[in-house]
């Protein structure tokens, strides 16, 4: 047998005799069902502060989450993205760098505000920004996070892609198995801490991650590459989520990446579309803007309680596309108590009337409707509804059956 064939046999044996039983067992020991029963909501430092984020920024953001009303609207996770990492000590334990002098004290501060603290690492030796990753130190890192009081871990593939490439010798199936195993290793390490830590997989959607992420303890998993603060990128990512609804549910969510609302690169109509679409997708809502400088419009978008209620609905179903005629799309999302959210999206470049029939969104009887952006009840819909929707804009409704 050639060396590459024997490597393949080795990895296939690993998958069947080592990895598969661990995955099967992890179903039984997966994170408590009380973790992320609705899509996680919070704030992440990456979109606004990127590599400049400091302890002071995170404390100021915690203060702003409280004073702005974001915390009370449901945004409770405050997540530090890449670049907090320092060096390992002689025993292999990770330490923070000089931007974060005392992570435990920071966690205590964040907790004192009624918030939870998230952190970031990679299964690779280096993070995407070139800082220390968890490769070979997963148990120690999970233990350290738990000691600090961390409540959420974003685990970003980054340099582990290189390990996969070199160790799989170009065998894609072996590479994918290694990737799943890397996430499972950290999952087991987190379980060993006995602290509920939300586990966020970030590997950009490779290998249909939605099909296996819950089996490696994923509470959420990125389904795409990085978002940025442009209409084109946001729309490409958001509307490409059609079809993924069967994979989401309480405790495990598709994650089309953080919100860009308030960062300045889109119009308010475009940000309303972004917010509506993420809510229809039951997506995690991680704001990524400067919370100390929010315009009233940004606040009204991020804290629209009617739209947040759609995202956080207890039924935990992700919405999906009902129809698309050119750039005019109708999406619906089942809600608890037989209600339904419907969004009319205009991806085109001028005002346009968009319609739907009740039967297209599952109703055989008339419904009462509420407009979730004007916050007005719009009365009974007997059969169909048409709204004129602005360029790159949205009309979002909540429908309630007249007869239960
Ligand atoms: C990757 C992730 C981003 C962000 C950066 C940080 O690109 O997908 O969300 O965490 O790394 O380096």
């Amino acid at each position: 047998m050639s060396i590459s064939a024997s490597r393949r046999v080795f990895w296939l044996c690993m998958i069947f005799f080592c990895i598969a039983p661990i995955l099967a067992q992890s179903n039984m020991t997966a994170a408590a069902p009380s973790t992320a029963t609705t899509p996680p909501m919070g704030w992440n430092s990456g979109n606004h502060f990127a590599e400049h984020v400091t302890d002071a920024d995170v404390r100021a953001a915690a203060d702003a989450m409280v004073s702005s009303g974001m915390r009370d609207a449901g945004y409770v996770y405050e997540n530090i993205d890449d670049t907090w990492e320092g060096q390992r000590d002689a025993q292999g334990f990770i330490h923070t760098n000089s931007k974060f002098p005392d992570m435990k004290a920071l966690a205590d501060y964040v907790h004192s505000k009624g918030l939870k603290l998230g952190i970031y690492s990679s299964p690779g030796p280096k993070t995407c920004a070139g800082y220390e990753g968890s490769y070979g130190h997963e148990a120690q890192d999970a233990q350290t996070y738990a000691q600090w009081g961390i409540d959420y871990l974003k685990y970003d593939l980054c340099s582990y892609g290189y390990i996969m490439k070199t160790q799989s010798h170009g065998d894609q199936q072996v590479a994918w198995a290694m990737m799943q195993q890397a996430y499972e290793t950290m999952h087991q390490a987190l379980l060993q801490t006995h602290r509920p830590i939300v586990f966020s997989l970030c590997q950009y959607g490779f290998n249909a991650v939605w099909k296996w992420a819950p089996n490696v303890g994923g509470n959420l998993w990125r389904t795409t590459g990085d978002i940025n603060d442009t209409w084109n990128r946001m729309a490409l990512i958001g509307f490409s989520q059609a079809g993924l609804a069967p994979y989401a549910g309480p405790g495990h969510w598709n994650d089309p990446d953080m919100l860009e609302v308030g960062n300045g690169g889109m119009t308010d109509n475009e940000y309303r579309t972004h917010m509506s679409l993420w809510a229809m997708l039951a997506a995690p809502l991680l704001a990524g803007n400067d919370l100390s400088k929010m315009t009233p419009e940004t606040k009204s978008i991020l804290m629209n309680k009617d739209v947040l209620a759609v995202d956080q609905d207890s039924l935990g179903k992700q919405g999906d596309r009902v129809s698309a005629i050119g750039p005019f799309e109708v999406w619906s999302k089942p809600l608890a108590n037989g209600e339904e959210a419907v969004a009319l999206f205009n991806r085109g470049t001028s005002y346009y009337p968009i319609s739907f029939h009740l039967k297209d969104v599952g109703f055989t009887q008339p419904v009462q409707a509420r407009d979730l952006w004007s916050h007005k009840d719009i009365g009974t819909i007997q059969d169909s509804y048409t709204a004129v929707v602005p360029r790159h804009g949205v009309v979002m409704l909540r429908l309630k059956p007249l007869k239960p």
Side-chain angles (χ1 to χ4, degrees):
M1 200 185 311
S2 71
I3 292 180
S4 72
S6 60
R7 268 196 199 107
R8 180 159 205 180
V9 168
F10 168 77
W11 272 105
L12 289 173
C13 289
M14 280 288 285
I15 294 164
F16 287 117
F17 297 115
C18 299
I19 300 175
I22 291 171
L23 292 181
Q25 187 204 358
S26 72
N27 273 331
M28 287 176 272
T29 54
S34 58
T35 306
T37 49
T38 60
M41 288 176 65
W43 176 85
N44 177 294
S45 64
N47 281 357
H48 178 70
F49 290 103
E51 73 275 19
H52 305 294
V53 64
T54 65
D55 174 285
D57 296 327
V58 175
R59 284 172 191 255
D63 296 345
M65 284 171 87
V66 177
S67 62
S68 65
M70 288 283 282
R71 179 198 64 187
D72 292 345
Y75 293 87
V76 293
Y77 286 98
E78 185 172 24
N79 296 346
I80 305 168
D81 211 275
D82 202 353
T83 79
W84 62 267
E85 308 87 343
Q87 302 303 314
R88 293 189 182 279
D89 61 24
Q91 285 72 46
F93 286 97
I94 185 88
H95 292 267
T96 53
N97 62 38
S98 59
K99 296 191 297 151
F100 289 89
D102 186 340
M103 194 63 89
K104 170 93 176 68
L106 179 57
D108 289 346
Y109 184 79
V110 168
H111 291 152
S112 78
K113 299 281 167 181
L115 299 165
K116 294 169 185 281
L117 188 64
I119 211 165
Y120 168 102
S121 191
S122 170
K126 295 287 172 204
T127 67
C128 291
Y131 287 70
E132 189 69 15
S134 294
Y135 186 60
H137 295 278
E138 295 84 357
Q140 281 177 310
D141 286 0
Q143 197 185 328
T144 302
Y145 304 153
Q147 277 163 4
W148 284 340
I150 297 297
D151 307 292
Y152 182 117
L153 172 66
K154 173 175 170 182
Y155 206 44
D156 194 350
L157 191 69
C158 305
S159 64
Y160 195 76
Y162 179 73
I163 305 274
M164 285 159 56
K165 193 169 169 196
T166 48
Q167 294 190 8
S168 68
H169 300 276
D171 187 323
Q172 194 60 66
Q173 291 314 312
V174 168
W176 292 149
M178 289 177 67
M179 183 170 63
Q180 291 192 32
Q181 179 55 45
Y183 282 96
E184 175 60 11
T185 300
M186 182 51 91
H187 171 219
Q188 291 301 325
L190 293 174
L191 287 176
Q192 291 307 313
T193 69
H194 302 291
R195 183 178 173 84
I197 298 177
V198 170
F199 191 30
S200 160
L201 274 57
C202 179
Q203 46 78 280
Y204 338 116
F206 288 145
N207 193 31
V209 60
W210 42 87
K211 293 188 177 167
W212 53 266
N215 292 340
V216 296
N219 296 118
L220 61 156
W221 48 85
R222 281 269 300 276
T223 52
T224 70
D226 291 2
I227 196 169
N228 62 41
D229 190 18
T230 62
W231 162 259
N232 283 343
R233 184 67 185 154
M234 181 281 292
L236 180 73
I237 285 180
F239 289 106
S240 73
Q241 303 301 293
L244 295 186
Y247 302 100
H252 53 98
W253 308 100
N254 291 304
D255 174 13
D257 208 359
M258 301 171 277
L259 296 169
E260 291 284 3
V261 176
N263 279 333
M266 292 182 240
T267 66
D268 287 335
N269 270 338
E270 290 170 342
Y271 282 140
R272 276 189 276 274
T273 295
H274 182 12
M275 191 74 196
S276 304
L277 184 50
W278 264 235
M280 294 298 287
L281 295 170
L285 298 177
L286 295 168
N289 57 320
D290 182 354
L291 299 174
S292 67
K293 296 197 182 74
M294 289 199 279
T295 63
E297 205 60 31
T298 296
K299 287 185 186 176
S300 75
I301 296 171
L302 284 173
M303 290 186 269
N304 180 329
K305 292 204 166 120
D306 284 335
V307 171
L308 293 178
V310 169
D311 180 79
Q312 295 289 300
D313 185 80
S314 61
L315 191 61
K317 289 227 183 241
Q318 179 170 330
D320 217 333
R321 182 185 283 131
V322 172
S323 65
I325 302 175
F328 313 117
E329 302 198 9
V330 177
W331 287 58
S332 73
K333 177 184 194 284
L335 306 174
N337 303 321
E339 299 186 23
E340 191 92 12
V342 174
L344 314 179
F345 293 107
N346 179 354
R347 300 175 67 180
T349 51
S350 55
Y351 272 85
Y352 203 83
I354 304 180
S355 305
F356 70 95
H357 286 271
L358 287 183
K359 63 175 167 36
D360 300 337
V361 296
F363 290 105
T364 51
Q365 302 282 335
V367 297
Q368 284 177 321
R370 179 173 172 79
D371 184 315
L372 305 188
W373 285 106
S374 73
H375 303 289
K376 290 198 174 106
D377 292 328
I378 54 172
T380 304
I381 300 176
Q382 295 291 345
D383 175 46
S384 65
Y385 184 76
T386 301
V388 177
V389 186
R391 165 189 200 272
H392 291 181
V394 62
V395 167
M396 190 168 170
L397 306 176
R398 186 181 185 106
L399 308 182
K400 188 176 177 177
L402 278 181
K403 290 185 207 145

